[in-house]
Amino acid sequence: MATISDVARLAGLSVSTVSRVINKSPHVSDKKREAVESAMNELGYVPLPAARQLRGSRTNTMAVTIPRIVNPFFSYLVDAIEQELDEAGYSTLIVQTFGRAEEELTALNLLKNQQVDGVILCSLENDWSVINGYCKYGKIVLVNEYLKDVDVPIIRGDQYDGFYTATNFLFDNGYKKIAYATGRKTITIMKKESNFDADRFAGFQSSLSDHNLGFNYDWLFTNAHTAEDGKEIFKKIMTLKNKPDVVIAGSDEVAMGISQEAEKQGIKVPEQLGVLGVDDQPASANLRIPLTTIKQPVDEMGRKAARAMLGLINGEEVSKMQICKLKVIKRASA
Amino acid sequence: MATISDVARLAGLSVSTVSRVINKSPHVSDKKREAVESAMNELGYVPLPAARQLRGSRTNTMAVTIPRIVNPFFSYLVDAIEQELDEAGYSTLIVQTFGRAEEELTALNLLKNQQVDGVILCSLENDWSVINGYCKYGKIVLVNEYLKDVDVPIIRGDQYDGFYTATNFLFDNGYKKIAYATGRKTITIMKKESNFDADRFAGFQSSLSDHNLGFNYDWLFTNAHTAEDGKEIFKKIMTLKNKPDVVIAGSDEVAMGISQEAEKQGIKVPEQLGVLGVDDQPASANLRIPLTTIKQPVDEMGRKAARAMLGLINGEEVSKMQICKLKVIKRASA
């Protein structure tokens, strides 16, 4: 890439003259200005923003990965992150992973290529051993999804407690046969606090155990992301001999689909089938059957993640783990 | 940035050996592999993806700008674009502009710095004279927002016709006093087909004129983006002596806010106040008062924009202007 010296050389002028043109100083003749501008054009030279010049080699740009932009939980999470970064003068590049390892590497390679100062990962698509290899190129922060024993700041919801409390809430409201839907293809059973999905399921199962119940594997629905997936889940439930009386839907979108399809087929929500969402999306309160849901503090999580990243960049002490509370929002669907 | 030759030199091996290591050829001794890998690490050398090596200097990455990620119209638009680009082997970086010129430049500078092959702009924040200066660095496509007389492919909705038809629809349903809300701070009156917002307003005004009505400036609400803004609009309407009987809300989000606040204050929608959304977001059909709205064909527009970009990249003939139809979806709110 061309440097300011290359521009000066081609224009036949001093570096300080080039710098004055870049900084729009009035003390430059039109002729010199034109010579510098034409040299810059010829070389494809892009002046660094002033802040970057001051701070050294920083790009003042961050990357944020999210699995799906059309999932409002993630669009609001990235928006909170970006607002906080923006206040600190950073631009943000958003990378959608679609849950694929190679798209996460697209974001991590921005770090490796020094195109961004840091990457905030809102989900985890690669093994930690792979991601960890990128820590030497810049700063990494995890938000939402998490792992145990990693050396980067993590900002996460208390998934175990949230799902334990929510499942107890369903029992308290008279439900006994609780189905469980998740976006994942599989659920790995692990020690507590090791993993987002494992903790959600562990919270759910602990509540079942407290009520002397095991889990019925006919009531597990995996790979559920959209309202369409929710409709399919409802259809599958209808084919079961032993039907659940409530579904923990994994997201508000899936919950919305289950509830819509139930309504279409004349099954009453919440009387014949309860539906519990997760996320508390903006529309959830205003649906025909307002969603009972597990609210994640998305704005708080996003802002904390951005502040952790800014702290790392500025060489401050950053706490390794910040845990935000989930809570059940009671409405009509369960 | 380090090249493959730098790696070969540092490793004390030939370029073809380095290439064999990069391409995971089995015919390399472990010792040579380690030497190459350690040289690559030391130099921070990142091998280009195979496709990029074949095609020359392409990055196989695109940038897409959107004003706000939390507006589902834009998250679905960018998702459609990205799905189509993804099928063609491209990664996508998403840049949120918040309606600011400098954030749009962040995306355009990715093009200038050869970090992306093309930029798809879903909104326009800079003057065309500024954007046009970036056309020499790569491909630019406009989708959704548009201008007259520019030399890049444009994929857009027929805003004039959509708003003309929708306003006629309101008259046909007995409304006479039509308020108009927009996300813009001002509306510029221009010749037809010059500008997104001008065309929307022109379609609206043409229908008013057909019904021998002028526009009441007390019923113009600008800078309206969110459900919260919609609530404020409703409150302002309540303070007016001469109240509108329906609002064209500019977006489903604003429509949702107006409708919620009306319900809260005991004003019946659609009997006492009609509300017409724009976009037909996923939740709009399932609200307590399902939204009547102007549907934009977001998936069609996104995919066409991506295909136009891929056509440009591949040197194909690409049509300069593709216009997609808007239509009114009649539900309960108007």
Side-chain angles (χ1 to χ4, degrees):
Chain A
M1 215 149 61
T3 64
I4 193 166
S5 315
D6 298 334
V7 175
R9 208 171 303 125
L10 183 64
L13 294 165
S14 69
V15 167
S16 64
T17 305
V18 176
S19 169
R20 279 205 297 280
V21 171
I22 291 170
N23 295 311
K24 301 194 195 306
S25 153
H27 310 297
V28 188
S29 71
D30 284 350
K31 203 176 149 190
K32 286 185 181 169
R33 187 183 310 280
E34 280 159 24
V36 169
E37 280 167 357
S38 110
M40 280 168 56
N41 269 329
E42 197 167 319
L43 294 167
Y45 173 76
V46 188
L48 301 172
R52 183 170 164 190
Q53 292 180 52
L54 288 174
R55 294 195 200 167
S57 66
R58 290 191 192 168
T59 63
N60 285 319
T61 306
M62 300 286 184
V64 180
T65 65
I66 50 173
R68 287 299 302 265
I69 197 176
V70 295
N71 179 333
F73 170 74
F74 288 107
S75 64
Y76 276 85
L77 182 61
V78 78
D79 194 58
I81 291 169
E82 190 161 352
Q83 301 235 9
E84 194 77 22
L85 292 176
D86 182 57
E87 284 163 26
Y90 282 84
S91 294
T92 302
L93 303 177
I94 304 162
V95 177
Q96 214 180 171
T97 66
F98 299 106
R100 293 194 311 239
E102 70 264 31
E103 294 301 329
E104 188 172 78
L105 292 182
T106 298
L108 291 167
N109 278 324
L110 292 171
L111 195 64
K112 189 166 181 177
N113 293 333
Q114 307 292 313
Q115 293 170 11
V116 298
D117 297 338
V119 178
I120 298 178
L121 301 169
C122 301
S123 62
L124 287 167
E125 313 300 351
N126 284 279
D127 286 339
W128 185 251
S129 60
V130 174
I131 298 170
N132 196 33
Y134 288 84
C135 286
K136 58 176 176 264
Y137 301 115
K139 306 303 180 189
I140 294 180
V141 166
L142 303 188
V143 57
N144 184 44
E145 293 198 13
Y146 52 92
L147 288 167
K148 230 174 171 155
D149 301 325
V150 301
D151 196 33
V152 301
I154 294 176
I155 291 84
R156 67 177 182 87
D158 193 343
Q159 304 298 337
Y160 177 91
D161 178 74
F163 274 62
Y164 178 75
T165 307
T167 310
N168 283 340
F169 163 87
L170 295 177
F171 281 115
D172 292 345
N173 282 271
Y175 294 107
K176 285 192 180 65
K177 298 159 74 177
I178 308 179
Y180 188 91
T182 169
R184 295 287 153 168
K185 289 195 194 84
T186 57
I187 295 170
T188 312
I189 304 297
M190 299 173 98
K191 283 200 177 156
K192 269 207 311 195
E193 319 234 311
S194 312
N195 169 288
F196 182 92
D197 297 286
D199 280 348
R200 286 186 163 192
F201 195 74
F204 163 65
Q205 278 223 314
S206 295
S207 170
L208 293 185
S209 300
D210 287 356
H211 294 81
N212 300 312
L213 288 170
F215 178 61
N216 180 339
Y217 280 80
D218 290 339
W219 300 341
L220 173 66
F221 302 96
T222 54
N223 227 351
H225 299 276
T226 63
E228 283 311 307
D229 296 334
K231 290 177 187 174
E232 289 309 308
I233 288 174
F234 180 81
K235 288 175 195 163
K236 273 183 216 150
I237 287 176
M238 284 299 104
T239 67
L240 295 174
K241 245 190 180 152
N242 181 16
K243 293 180 180 55
D245 55 20
V246 66
V247 188
I248 300 179
S251 75
D252 280 5
E253 288 181 302
V254 173
M256 224 178 277
I258 295 173
S259 170
Q260 261 176 271
E261 189 63 25
E263 202 182 357
K264 196 175 146 196
Q265 298 202 20
I267 298 293
K268 280 194 179 133
V269 174
E271 296 84 354
Q272 294 172 274
L273 183 73
V275 183
L276 178 70
V278 184
D279 291 345
D280 195 29
Q281 294 178 5
S284 301
N286 296 300
L287 300 176
R288 204 143 47 223
I289 303 165
L291 269 184
T292 300
T293 189
I294 305 175
K295 185 183 175 68
Q296 301 212 67
V298 52
D299 194 68
E300 178 191 350
M301 283 165 63
R303 290 191 177 266
K304 280 185 171 165
R307 281 198 290 264
M309 175 56 82
L310 294 169
L312 288 182
I313 297 267
N314 296 324
E316 294 159 12
E317 191 76 30
V318 175
S319 109
K320 281 291 163 215
M321 177 77 79
Q322 297 179 63
I323 301 179
C324 308
K325 273 298 224 196
L326 275 58
K327 65 177 179 186
V328 176
I329 308 288
K330 186 170 164 47
R331 297 200 187 98
S333 73
Chain B
M1 213 148 62
T3 64
I4 192 167
S5 317
D6 298 334
V7 175
R9 207 172 304 126
L10 184 62
L13 294 165
S14 69
V15 167
S16 62
T17 306
V18 175
S19 171
R20 279 203 299 279
V21 171
I22 290 169
N23 295 310
K24 301 194 197 304
S25 154
H27 310 298
V28 188
S29 71
D30 284 351
K31 203 177 150 192
K32 285 185 181 170
R33 189 183 309 282
E34 278 160 24
V36 169
E37 280 168 357
S38 109
M40 280 169 56
N41 268 331
E42 197 167 316
L43 294 167
Y45 173 75
V46 187
L48 300 172
R52 182 169 165 190
Q53 292 181 52
L54 288 174
R55 294 194 201 166
S57 67
R58 289 191 192 167
T59 63
N60 285 318
T61 306
M62 301 285 184
V64 180
T65 64
I66 50 173
R68 287 300 301 268
I69 198 176
V70 295
N71 179 333
F73 171 75
F74 287 107
S75 64
Y76 277 85
L77 182 61
V78 78
D79 194 57
I81 292 170
E82 190 161 353
Q83 301 236 6
E84 194 77 22
L85 292 176
D86 182 56
E87 285 164 25
Y90 283 84
S91 294
T92 302
L93 303 177
I94 305 162
V95 177
Q96 211 179 175
T97 66
F98 301 106
R100 293 193 311 236
E102 69 264 30
E103 295 301 329
E104 188 171 76
L105 292 182
T106 298
L108 291 167
N109 279 325
L110 292 173
L111 194 64
K112 190 166 181 176
N113 294 332
Q114 308 293 314
Q115 294 170 10
V116 298
D117 297 338
V119 179
I120 298 178
L121 301 170
C122 301
S123 63
L124 287 166
E125 313 301 350
N126 284 279
D127 286 338
W128 185 252
S129 60
V130 175
I131 299 171
N132 196 34
Y134 287 84
C135 287
K136 59 175 176 264
Y137 302 114
K139 306 303 180 189
I140 294 179
V141 166
L142 303 188
V143 57
N144 184 45
E145 292 198 14
Y146 52 94
L147 288 168
K148 230 175 171 155
D149 302 326
V150 302
D151 196 32
V152 301
I154 294 177
I155 291 83
R156 68 176 181 87
D158 192 345
Q159 304 299 336
Y160 177 91
D161 178 74
F163 274 63
Y164 179 74
T165 307
T167 311
N168 282 341
F169 163 88
L170 295 177
F171 280 116
D172 292 347
N173 283 272
Y175 294 107
K176 286 194 179 65
K177 298 159 74 176
I178 308 180
Y180 188 91
T182 170
R184 295 285 154 170
K185 290 197 193 82
T186 57
I187 295 171
T188 312
I189 303 297
M190 299 173 100
K191 283 200 177 155
K192 270 209 303 194
E193 320 235 308
S194 312
N195 169 287
F196 182 92
D197 297 286
D199 280 348
R200 287 186 161 190
F201 195 74
F204 164 65
Q205 278 224 313
S206 294
S207 169
L208 293 185
S209 298
D210 287 357
H211 293 82
N212 301 311
L213 288 169
F215 178 62
N216 180 338
Y217 280 80
D218 289 341
W219 299 342
L220 173 66
F221 302 95
T222 55
N223 226 350
H225 299 276
T226 63
E228 282 310 307
D229 295 335
K231 290 177 187 174
E232 289 309 309
I233 288 173
F234 180 83
K235 287 176 194 162
K236 273 184 214 149
I237 287 175
M238 286 298 103
T239 67
L240 295 174
K241 245 191 179 150
N242 181 17
K243 294 181 181 54
D245 55 21
V246 66
V247 188
I248 299 179
S251 73
D252 280 4
E253 288 181 302
V254 172
M256 224 178 277
I258 295 173
S259 171
Q260 261 177 270
E261 188 64 25
E263 203 182 357
K264 194 175 148 194
Q265 297 201 20
I267 299 292
K268 280 195 182 133
V269 175
E271 296 83 354
Q272 293 173 275
L273 183 73
V275 183
L276 178 70
V278 184
D279 292 344
D280 194 28
Q281 293 176 5
S284 300
N286 296 301
L287 299 176
R288 203 142 47 225
I289 303 165
L291 268 185
T292 300
T293 189
I294 305 175
K295 184 184 176 67
Q296 302 213 66
V298 52
D299 194 69
E300 178 192 350
M301 284 166 62
R303 290 191 178 265
K304 281 186 170 165
R307 283 197 290 265
M309 174 55 82
L310 293 169
L312 287 181
I313 297 267
N314 295 324
E316 295 158 13
E317 191 75 28
V318 174
S319 110
K320 280 291 162 215
M321 177 77 77
Q322 298 179 64
I323 301 178
C324 308
K325 274 297 224 195
L326 275 59
K327 67 178 179 186
V328 177
I329 308 288
K330 186 172 163 50
R331 297 199 187 98
S333 73

